[in-house]
Amino acid sequence: MPAAPRGATWRRQIRSAGGQVIRRLGMLPAGTPDGHGEDAALLGTSWPYEVLVYFADTAEALYQIEQWYDTFRALHAEHPLVVVTRDSRTAAAIRRDSGLDVRTVAHYTTLDDVLRRSPTKLALYVNHNPENFTCLRFGNLVHASLMHGDSDKLVTVSNQTKAYDFSFVAGRAAVERMARFSTLYDAEARCVPVGRPQLDEQLRLREQTPRGPLPTVLYAPTWEGGQPSAEYGSLVSHGLAVVRALVTSGRYRVVYRPHPLTGVRDAAYGEADAAVRHYLAEAPVPAEGPGHATDTAGDVGPAFAGADLLVCDVSGVAMDWLATGEPIVVTRPTGQVTIARSPLLELAPALTVDDLDDVLALVDRELGDDPTRAERLRLREHYLGDTSPGAATRRFVEACERLMAVRDREVARVNAELGR
């Protein structure tokens, strides 16, 4: 191959130097890993971890892994676990907030070098970032998708799920959803129901939280989605009207919990978010108990613990709320969004834009009569499995152990085929 022209080499060197300066100064576009890895220190070494959690995102997506911290700590107590990132800022935040071991690896060759010497057997993923393929290349690991929520959004049956050896799901509802909507996918063989381990701590917290003098309604809309076909969010179409009706009635305390990504794709959602926050900040404090509030904490547990009814969109929040056993109202989007038929969406009262004038009467009825309670409690097991304290975490750890055993058998089989 002929040598590159001197001018081309010079331009590459300039671009490389410029990229290094941009990274050092923190001037990277949002969502771009800074590439400040520990590669030099890791090359030629091994590590003791049996489980690798691969998280290629930057700080904007931390909410996707934060909900797994308690569960990962429980797994780490039985099997050493490390979180691998591609961004040093993300690594610092995870290390600080989780107490887990974290390594930043900027280059595929470094990960390949370390894993060749290490006892790592299982790789876990909390999203479908395209960069996951950097780790999915390794055939001597078992790869399992965890995701960061279970919902009746059609995005939960994305074809990307097929990239992983197994998919951890909450319950039978998720297996049936995958079997129904994902073509050429053996859901029964590849879906592993483990419940929602995140709910273990949330349910304990709920049991310890006293009820307020006024019922609390939690409004927790989803974001606008990555594309119009996934725009399940109600904030623009429903948000202020719902909040205003409940507040002005004087019968309810309202807590608003926006999705962390609200407004990143559509500025109208950011404006609607600001309007709801401003309204609640200026609203009169109820005669009894705490005032209305906007909750932006990383952990949804306290918001769930203090709420008596949830108003939400078609999202993972609806699934998690089922564990509380309390009433739920699910909005319907106004755009051209496909809504899958599901037992929960067929049961829960639907709040369309045309129903907004009746939202107060709907909430009154659900909290007063709760007409769907018995069926909703039956659905809880269908969607989440056993929700007794600690059950889901135990199922998760046991499922990880089974997959590591599967990996060992497969590696032994391949080695035997190769005569090793």
Side-chain angles (χ1 to χ4, degrees), residues 113-283:
D113 184 67
V114 173
L115 290 177
R116 284 192 298 108
R117 301 182 178 86
S118 302
T120 309
K121 303 178 180 182
L122 175 64
L124 305 175
Y125 307 81
V126 301
N127 60 25
H128 287 323
N129 189 312
E131 289 295 337
N132 288 355
F133 279 90
T134 298
C135 191
L136 279 164
R137 298 176 185 179
F138 297 110
N140 60 335
L141 306 179
V142 168
H143 303 268
S145 168
L146 307 182
M147 297 302 290
H148 48 278
D150 181 47
S151 77
D152 284 320
K153 291 181 178 180
L154 284 184
V155 294
T156 61
V157 293
S158 166
N159 212 45
Q160 293 164 294
T161 303
K162 298 175 185 176
Y164 308 91
D165 299 311
F166 296 94
S167 179
F168 281 20
V169 298
R172 283 300 308 171
V175 179
E176 293 170 2
R177 187 189 309 121
M178 288 296 297
R180 181 183 304 170
F181 296 108
S182 186
T183 58
L184 303 176
Y185 183 79
D186 188 347
E188 293 292 341
R190 296 178 62 182
C191 289
V192 183
V194 297
R196 286 282 286 159
Q198 297 88 337
L199 300 180
D200 287 346
E201 184 58 34
Q202 292 179 17
L203 292 173
R204 279 192 287 265
L205 180 61
R206 186 174 179 84
E207 292 176 355
Q208 299 165 4
T209 301
R211 314 319 301 160
L214 289 179
T216 295
V217 176
L218 173 63
Y219 174 50
T222 191
W223 68 307
E224 58 269 30
Q227 58 276 339
S229 62
E231 194 167 341
Y232 294 88
S234 67
L235 191 53
V236 171
S237 55
H238 294 61
L240 192 57
V242 169
V243 169
R244 182 183 288 122
L246 297 173
V247 168
T248 56
S249 75
R251 299 201 289 271
Y252 300 106
R253 175 179 181 247
V254 176
V255 174
Y256 165 56
R257 183 176 172 84
H259 191 282
L261 295 183
T262 296
V264 300
R265 184 181 67 80
D266 187 340
Y269 278 79
E271 293 166 2
D273 171 59
V276 172
R277 291 180 190 234
H278 177 75
Y279 179 82
L280 289 176
E282 298 295 321

